[in-house]
Amino acid sequence: MKTAASSSWLLPCLLGGLALSAPALAQDEDAPYAYPDEEKSEEESPRRRSQPEDTPDDFRRTSEEEDEEDKDFDRLAGLDDPNTGVAFEVLGGAMLLSSPKGQFADVLPAMGGRFTWEYGRLLNVEALREALWFDVRYTYASVREGTRLIIGDTRLHYATIAPAYELTFGQSKDYGAYVQVGGGVAYTDTALTVGDKLTSVDGLKSLIQYGVGLRGRTKVSSESNVRLAWRVELMRFRRGYLDDTFVGASLGTAF
């Protein structure tokens, strides 16, 4: 009798325990257990998505900024260049004076001097720094002709300002070929002697100067800014209907 009573009491207890434990063993399929590594990756993924991707506008903006940096570099060109682009030279050669009689030109000795300034340095453009310059020039020539009775002494003074464009070459760009066109005046002073009587005749005419040449600024010392400036040139002076041709060279100092 005791065994039957205990069995009848045990069966309801087991059934009740199984009913209470069933909800605890079930898991929600929609919310699986998250491991620590997965939680970190889920936290970082929204941050990665929030970072904007590069667009064509970004590439264009970066390119424009690089162009601006290049322009600033060009504008700062020459700040470390110790040279000022100024030169003084003495010149000499032969002046082929146009003959009003239609004959071959009279060959006369000529001399003078000039001041050169490389104004291209003001533009802060590397390609034009030493390519653009101009001369302030003075050239003198004289001729004496006539007979024992009549003698004429003619002195010619050429004063010009002439810009030039130079194509430099060499690693240091110290040498170049140039073309030059400018203008100025020619002053002619003639002393005519007839017997013992002296008569002076003078005149002033405008002129056009044009020609070509080879220019150099040879470095003398690595410790100094002073350079040896030299030129070989073929230049013409157009005064009125006459063309005077100068063939010569110059030598001086550049700073």
Side-chain angles (χ1 to χ4, degrees), residues 39-83:
E39 292 178 355
K40 292 182 180 179
S41 62
E42 290 178 357
E43 292 177 358
E44 293 176 356
S45 59
R47 297 178 183 175
R48 293 175 182 173
R49 295 194 190 99
S50 62
Q51 295 179 354
E53 297 181 356
D54 293 336
T55 63
D57 293 336
D58 295 332
F59 288 112
R60 188 181 302 108
R61 190 180 304 109
T62 303
S63 177
E64 291 175 354
E65 291 176 356
E66 292 177 354
D67 292 341
E68 289 296 330
E69 292 178 358
D70 293 339
K71 291 179 181 178
D72 292 338
F73 176 77
D74 291 338
R75 284 193 291 267
L76 296 176
L79 288 181
D80 58 345
D81 187 357
N83 296 316

Side-chain angles (χ1 to χ4, degrees), residues 142-217:
S142 64
V143 57
R144 180 184 177 93
E145 57 184 358
T147 64
R148 298 180 61 180
L149 180 61
I150 302 174
I151 300 174
D153 289 321
T154 302
R155 294 171 287 273
L156 297 106
H157 307 266
Y158 306 86
T160 59
I161 299 177
Y165 178 77
E166 180 179 357
L167 294 175
T168 57
F169 54 85
Q171 184 176 3
S172 58
K173 296 184 179 181
D174 292 337
Y175 308 97
Y178 65 90
V179 294
Q180 189 172 27
V181 179
V185 295
Y187 175 71
T188 304
D189 178 21
T190 301
L192 184 61
T193 304
V194 180
D196 296 333
K197 186 177 181 180
L198 177 64
T199 303
S200 297
V201 179
D202 58 3
L204 187 67
K205 286 186 178 181
S206 60
L207 64 82
I208 298 175
Q209 173 190 340
Y210 59 96
V212 296
L214 182 66
R215 177 173 178 249
R217 288 143 297 162

